């Protein structure tokens, strides 16, 4: 039997996190890639009413820079937000090494960091992705730096470094739940 359905790791990680963190909400994965902009569907049935939200997931690999201000860097290509997505979740997987660097790689713990934006927030964010040297030109990429999962900073695609911690998924779970109503 040949596999006919695959799921990218970033989408799996976001689906897994949302299914664990959001109560009374089911996470569905479209079986077809025909619908552009929708990677996940959130579903809630409550008091006889059915509600859904759509999610688009973007993933970056994490670049490790132990001798710089931020040990972990995420890079994303600039994109046009699809109107049919209610939420956008940017994610990256990184290795959390024990304090001592004299350990085997197998002792690293793999974690995910995720940022969540509504459609309107993502449109505004993308409009602000500009080159530092010439603010009239859009930057083709944007990036984030972090050392821990409590703080994350935009390091590329904006005129200066800015704190984006309020967009961390763990800080947006209530907003996602409220957006069902």
């Amino acid at each position: 039997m040949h596999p006919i359905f695959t799921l990218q790791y970033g989408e799996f990680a976001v689906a897994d996190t949302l299914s664990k963190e959001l109560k009374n909400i089911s996470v569905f994965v479209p079986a077809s890639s025909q619908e552009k902009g929708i990677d996940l569907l959130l579903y809630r049935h409550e008091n006889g009413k059915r509600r859904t939200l759509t999610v688009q997931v973007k993933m970056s690999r994490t670049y490790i820079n132990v001798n710089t201000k931020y040990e972990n860097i995420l890079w994303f290509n600039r994109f046009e937000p699809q109107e049919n997505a209610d939420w956008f979740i940017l994610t990256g997987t990184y290795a959390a090494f024990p304090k001592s660097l004299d350990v085997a790689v197998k002792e690293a713990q793999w974690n995910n960091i995720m940022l969540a934006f509504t459609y309107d927030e993502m449109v505004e964010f993308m409009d602000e992705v500009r080159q530092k040297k010439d603010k009239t030109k859009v930057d083709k990429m944007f990036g984030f730096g972090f050392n821990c999962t409590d703080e994350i900073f935009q390091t590329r695609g904006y005129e200066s470094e800015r704190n984006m911690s309020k967009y961390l998924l763990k800080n947006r779970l209530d907003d996602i739940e409220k957006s069902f109503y």
Side-chain angles (χ1 to χ4, degrees), residues 21-40:
E21 297 294 332
L22 297 174
K23 305 302 177 217
N24 301 317
I25 293 173
S26 299
V27 180
F28 290 87
V29 177
S32 168
S33 61
Q34 298 298 322
E35 188 64 43
K36 297 294 180 201
I38 298 176
D39 296 315
L40 303 172

Side-chain angles (χ1 to χ4, degrees), residues 47-65:
N47 299 325
K49 295 185 179 183
R50 294 180 195 98
R51 305 203 188 269
T52 59
L53 293 173
T54 55
V55 177
Q56 185 175 54
V57 176
K58 298 288 185 185
M59 184 168 184
S60 166
R61 52 178 284 219
T62 303
Y63 300 89
I64 300 172
N65 293 316

Side-chain angles (χ1 to χ4, degrees), residues 100-168:
S100 169
L101 293 178
D102 296 333
V103 296
V105 172
K106 67 181 180 180
E107 293 182 42
Q109 180 180 8
W110 294 94
N111 294 325
N112 298 297
I113 190 161
M114 300 176 190
L115 297 126
F117 298 84
T118 65
Y119 171 77
D120 290 337
E121 291 167 343
M122 185 55 47
V123 168
E124 181 180 345
F125 179 84
M126 285 300 156
D127 285 344
E128 295 173 345
V129 173
R130 302 285 171 176
Q131 295 178 6
K132 287 184 181 181
K133 292 181 182 178
D134 185 353
K135 295 173 191 66
T136 64
K137 294 182 180 177
V138 296
D139 199 336
K140 64 181 181 176
M141 297 186 80
F142 59 96
F144 302 95
F146 65 98
N147 293 323
C148 67
T149 57
D150 293 327
E151 289 187 318
I152 190 164
F153 297 86
Q154 185 177 0
T155 55
R156 179 176 174 169
Y158 195 68
E159 62 189 52
S160 61
E161 183 178 289
R162 64 177 168 170
N163 190 325
M164 301 298 284
S165 302
K166 70 180 183 179
Y167 294 104
L168 287 168

